Amino acid sequence: MHTAYINIGSNLGDRHGNIAAAVAAVKERINPSVRLSDPVESPPWGYESSNPYINIGVAFQTVLPPEELLAALLDVQKSISDMPHRNGQGGYTDRIIDIDLIAVDEIVYTSSTLTLPHPRMHLRPFVLIPMLQLAPRWSHPRLNLTPAQLLASLTE
């Protein structure tokens, strides 16, 4: 059994409702027992938009291997919205729902479709703040830093 950490975000439509639908689907399809962080509102990361995001962190136990877990999460995401997350030039766009697999325990994993921990998690306060609430003692296995240390490094 492993602990998975995901981040769910929305910056279009009923943001809170979109996130609630995603959490409900994760509970139904993967594990009915989840822990949620407080919501974090932030501007879009990596592109310009006037639509702020709401993000939450979610932690739950799973026996699924990383690739199967990712597939299940992408199915949840597509069940809420199949809007593309990239524009024609490959840049980020606004989205109804976005679900990212952030980490599974302190496992380091790389394939053509998945990198764990998430390769940009340490750059994103909207991921680190929820991670700090859910797993303050978790340590990034490549950087050997806790969520608090990673968050502090963003303001230095």
Side-chain angles (χ1 to χ4, degrees), residues 46-65:
Y47 74 104
E48 295 295 321
S49 173
S50 60
N51 301 316
Y53 274 87
I54 293 178
N55 286 271
I56 64 161
V58 183
F60 54 88
Q61 297 291 302
T62 184
V63 295
L64 294 175

Side-chain angles (χ1 to χ4, degrees), residues 73-86:
L73 293 170
L74 291 176
D75 284 346
V76 167
Q77 182 175 278
K78 287 178 186 167
S79 74
I80 297 167
S81 172
D82 62 356
M83 284 178 59
H85 291 159
R86 303 276 181 162

Side-chain angles (χ1 to χ4, degrees), residues 7-10 53 55 77 85 95-100:
N7 192 274
I8 302 174
S10 175
Y53 274 87
N55 286 271
Q77 182 175 278
H85 291 159
R95 51 202 86 159
I96 291 171
I97 200 73
D98 184 36
I99 303 175
D100 287 327

Side-chain angles (χ1 to χ4, degrees), residues 65-147:
E67 295 285 348
E68 287 182 37
L69 178 56
L70 177 63
L73 293 170
L74 291 176
D75 284 346
V76 167
Q77 182 175 278
K78 287 178 186 167
S79 74
I80 297 167
S81 172
D82 62 356
M83 284 178 59
H85 291 159
R86 303 276 181 162
N87 61 26
Q89 295 76 40
Y92 294 123
T93 63
D94 291 340
R95 51 202 86 159
I96 291 171
I97 200 73
D98 184 36
I99 303 175
D100 287 327
L101 179 53
I102 301 302
V104 177
D105 290 330
E106 293 176 355
I107 293 171
V108 174
Y109 179 87
T110 303
S111 73
S112 62
T113 56
L114 178 63
T115 299
L116 292 175
H118 189 287
R120 289 171 298 286
M121 73 168 290
H122 64 287
L123 304 172
R124 298 174 170 177
F126 59 88
V127 170
L128 295 173
I129 292 167
M131 196 68 177
L132 178 59
Q133 288 183 0
L134 295 171
R137 289 181 173 73
W138 180 86
S139 180
H140 193 294
R142 293 183 181 195
L143 303 174
N144 296 314
L145 297 171
T146 66

Side-chain angles (χ1 to χ4, degrees), residues 31-53:
N31 187 330
S33 179
V34 301
R35 292 184 299 123
L36 304 176
S37 74
D38 294 331
V40 174
E41 188 169 45
S42 64
W45 189 92
Y47 74 104
E48 295 295 321
S49 173
S50 60
N51 301 316
Y53 274 87

